Amino acid sequence: MAPKHFAPVWQHYERHEPTGRSKHHRAICKFCAYELSGQPERMKTHLQRCTNCPQHIKHEFAAEDALSSSSTPHSNNFAISLKATEFERAEDEAPAKRIAAPIVQVTEPPAKRRRSIEVGSGAEGLAGLPVYENVRGYYSRHQTMNQKQISIGPTVSPHPLIRDAIARVPKAIRDRFYGCGVPLPPGIDGLRVLDLGCGSGRDCYVAARLVGPTGEVVGVDMTDEQLRVAREFVPEYAATLGYSPHLRFVKGYIEFLAQLPELYPGTIDLCISNNAVNLSPNKELVLRSVFEMLREGGEFQFSDIYADRRLPNHVRTHPVLMGECLGGALYTEDFKRLCQRVGFVDARQVSAPAPVRIEAPELRDLVGATQFYSITFRLFKFARPAAVLEPTREDYGQVAVYRGTIEGQRARTRLDSQWAFEAQRPVLVDGNTAVILGESWMRRHFE
């Protein structure tokens, strides 16, 4: 049982001690065993969504929310009508027991004016778009990476810890991997990780090992067949790890992450993606959705394919080029401007671009002289004025010291293609780099 000073909503949850960097207890729903952060408002929201939660409990919290809203300023903007009535409890309780509780009828206030980022009717509006139908069909037909018609040129070899983790992933998962990079930073133990367009889940499996038993990994994808494979091998991978990882896969669209009941805004430490953002017809919507999900100081690290120029319409709409992640490739400079517009200031490139080779002659003829590259970027969320990044990197004389705390990189670690840090050796950095190292999830590794 939770202590008496805990919110009443705790009576419907089991309480676990905080894990990782979280300051909140972990709550386990007694009705569906769903685990979430022990924050009362989120716990109430989950109960109202939970299909196993009895109706009388949902009514109690609805009435509580309505009464609390009526005591706040501007409550005259909407009307609340409370009608007392009797209703029966759930069938598992005695039929003779009845309880009086208010049923709440709420007339919602007019929505505040805000910049709309919706397309169609939300996620449902995207489901039938031709680009999604093409992508789903394309990846359903191509079961292994050997069927891809492009190849990525020489890239920086993954860290030995990453290579070892990849080798431990079940072979059926590795064979269905379609990524173009390794967007997995070291030193992420205990973090909450979200993978966009996870596919069969190879990067999720690797991340589950890197975050350890106290971290959590959630993969999001829109393709049922890929999700089926991703879920199938979790028990086998748990036996390999020696513990049950907090690893889940959910169906959804990466443009509308806030609509998924498994996710809450401002709760993700690290978001990753591998060759998936360019498949979206609205990349700005994806970036805004990620920005909303990340905590202050959270990171979006992702590998994707970019073009050295803007693509003509016949390339952008070609079904094979779309499935091969070339039709949706952004011009690199357009991508950087898009990041600025969303709020991801100062995009950091992890390593040198890797050229993409198109194997099929007919596809090479279609793209003409356009060159494609695989690039991994790091984007950090800083929304508070005290930790804002500047459009240009100014030198204010800051110094950063790497503590040597990242496993496998005790002597030296790298932030991006420009900055590397030796353990316990002071390095002069610009203002933006100082903010990233001192205010993001990486602050535990730097002074």
Side-chain angles (χ1 to χ4, degrees), residues 242-429:
Y243 59 87
S244 295
H246 296 288
L247 174 60
R248 292 180 292 141
F249 297 95
V250 299
K251 184 177 181 179
Y253 292 89
I254 61 178
E255 296 87 353
F256 296 97
L257 298 173
Q259 293 185 3
L260 300 177
E262 296 85 357
L263 300 176
Y264 294 92
T267 61
I268 300 299
D269 298 299
L270 172 66
C271 184
I272 62 174
S273 182
N274 205 334
N275 216 15
V277 175
N278 60 22
L279 295 173
S280 171
N282 193 324
K283 297 169 181 60
E284 180 173 352
L285 201 57
V286 175
L287 292 179
R288 291 190 182 280
S289 185
V290 172
F291 195 87
E292 182 181 10
M293 288 293 110
L294 289 176
R295 302 181 193 269
E296 178 72 10
E299 178 187 356
F300 183 26
Q301 181 168 160
F302 68 109
S303 302
D304 229 316
I305 293 178
Y306 297 86
D308 65 349
R309 67 197 70 191
R310 296 186 180 97
L311 300 178
N313 187 62
H314 75 275
V315 172
R316 290 189 290 109
T317 57
H318 191 277
V320 176
L321 291 176
M322 289 168 59
E324 294 290 339
C325 302
L326 300 180
L330 275 178
Y331 171 45
T332 311
E333 298 306 314
D334 285 344
F335 164 74
K336 293 177 181 178
R337 283 187 282 269
L338 177 59
C339 291
Q340 293 270 353
R341 189 159 67 244
V342 169
F344 286 119
V345 182
D346 195 3
R348 298 297 179 103
Q349 186 172 312
V350 174
S351 58
V356 175
R357 174 177 172 79
I358 302 174
E359 305 293 347
E362 62 274 15
L363 296 183
R364 288 202 298 269
D365 291 340
L366 276 174
V367 302
T370 304
Q371 298 294 313
F372 295 92
Y373 300 92
S374 171
I375 306 175
T376 300
F377 281 101
R378 306 185 77 165
L379 311 178
F380 292 88
K381 174 183 176 178
F382 293 105
R384 293 198 304 261
V388 69
L389 298 180
E390 296 180 298
T392 56
R393 301 177 189 178
E394 304 293 343
D395 184 3
Y396 298 113
Q398 289 96 333
V399 175
V401 180
Y402 171 48
R403 292 172 174 164
T405 53
I406 297 178
E407 182 182 359
Q409 297 186 351
R410 303 290 185 185
R412 186 173 183 269
T413 192
R414 178 172 289 278
L415 171 65
D416 53 31
S417 59
Q418 179 180 355
W419 294 100
F421 302 88
E422 295 182 11
Q424 308 304 329
R425 182 176 181 179
V427 178
L428 286 171
V429 295

Side-chain angles (χ1 to χ4, degrees), residues 88-166:
E88 288 187 310
R89 289 181 179 268
E91 293 180 358
D92 59 338
E93 299 189 13
K97 292 183 178 180
R98 295 176 179 270
I99 183 170
I103 294 181
V104 183
Q105 298 177 347
V106 180
T107 303
E108 294 290 344
K112 293 182 178 180
R113 294 182 61 86
R114 55 182 294 184
R115 179 162 55 176
S116 174
I117 60 172
E118 296 184 348
V119 173
S121 57
E124 296 79 6
L126 293 177
L129 289 180
V131 61
Y132 277 115
E133 293 301 324
N134 176 71
V135 170
R136 268 192 290 261
Y138 192 84
Y139 283 94
S140 297
R141 294 189 300 271
H142 294 71
Q143 301 297 319
T144 67
M145 187 62 182
N146 293 333
Q147 296 174 286
K148 296 281 285 180
Q149 300 188 54
I150 65 172
S151 60
I152 310 298
T155 60
V156 177
S157 178
H159 190 277
L161 286 176
I162 304 293
R163 292 203 303 269
D164 180 65
I166 292 174

